Amino acid sequence: MKNKLCGTCFFKIDGEYRDNPDEYSREIILTHIDSMLKYSQRFYKRQFINRTELSGKTVSKFNDALAAYFKNGLLITQGLPTVNALASQLNLSPRYLSDMLKQETGKTAIDLIHIYLVNEAKNKLMSDDQRVSEIAYELGFENLPYFSRLFKQETGISPNQFKKQLAN
């Protein structure tokens, strides 16, 4: 069905381009292109609706890949994990990975990376006697203010405040 619809739109566009060069041609061609894009969006989104049996598998694989990224020392050699790197590891496009994760968790891939990094930071702040700057650097953040903003965005308090709360 979808191939027939797209094919029909294509032939209508081609016919309009070749046979009807007038002031309406451009608008008619754009309308057909818009229809093709809407059908594409529909079919793209429909695949997520029909994936209920896979629910949770992508996020599990993503979390495993993220943990392996840290365990294998890639943080030191490649810096902070990126959506592109993790998507590549999972043989998915970054956009598709993010869409799948959003469907399963309500969060995008970058959101989940940030949550993971903040949880790692929390664990280190609880167990280590390191300064916040040392922990940030150890987690791959070269910019301490960026780390602090991200931490505060995820937890509502700064890393220093978090550490002080633990001491009390």
Side-chain angles (χ1 to χ4, degrees):
M1 179 77 176
K2 70 178 172 185
N3 289 339
K4 184 177 180 181
L5 292 173
C6 289
T8 302
C9 286
F10 173 77
F11 289 117
K12 285 181 179 181
I13 290 169
D14 186 56
E16 188 63 37
Y17 178 75
R18 292 179 193 277
D19 302 333
N20 298 311
D22 58 26
E23 68 267 16
Y24 301 103
S25 294
R26 183 175 187 273
E27 190 173 332
I28 291 170
I29 289 171
L30 290 174
T31 300
H32 288 305
I33 291 171
D34 186 57
S35 290
M36 288 173 61
L37 291 172
K38 282 188 174 41
Y39 281 118
S40 296
Q41 287 174 325
R42 172 194 277 169
F43 292 117
Y44 181 77
K45 289 188 182 230
R46 192 176 286 169
Q47 70 184 326
F48 298 111
I49 294 168
N50 298 331
R51 296 183 71 101
T52 53
E53 72 280 356
L54 295 177
S55 185
K57 289 186 179 179
T58 305
V59 73
S60 294
K61 288 178 183 177
F62 180 81
N63 286 334
D64 292 345
L66 197 49
Y69 190 92
F70 281 82
K71 183 181 175 194
N72 296 333
L74 296 177
L75 187 64
I76 296 165
T77 59
Q78 297 181 9
L80 289 170
T82 63
V83 175
N84 287 344
L86 294 167
S88 175
Q89 194 173 347
L90 297 172
N91 297 316
L92 299 170
S93 75
R95 173 71 189 263
Y96 186 73
L97 174 62
S98 233
D99 287 349
M100 290 281 294
L101 292 170
K102 183 87 168 169
Q103 182 71 25
E104 288 182 16
T105 68
K107 305 244 183 237
T108 64
I110 196 67
D111 292 338
L112 293 172
I113 290 171
H114 289 163
I115 290 167
Y116 187 91
L117 289 167
V118 168
N119 284 335
E120 286 293 311
K122 284 180 183 179
N123 290 337
K124 289 182 179 298
L125 287 166
M126 284 190 263
S127 62
D128 291 343
D129 197 25
Q130 294 176 293
R131 292 192 326 244
V132 171
S133 59
E134 293 170 331
I135 291 170
Y137 183 73
E138 193 176 307
L139 288 173
F141 291 90
E142 294 178 9
N143 183 336
L144 181 59
Y146 175 68
F147 169 74
S148 293
R149 272 194 315 274
L150 177 63
F151 192 94
K152 187 169 186 171
Q153 180 183 351
E154 292 296 325
T155 64
I157 57 175
S158 73
N160 284 320
Q161 290 170 321
F162 183 83
K163 194 168 184 149
K164 284 178 189 172
Q165 283 182 357
L166 293 173
N168 293 339

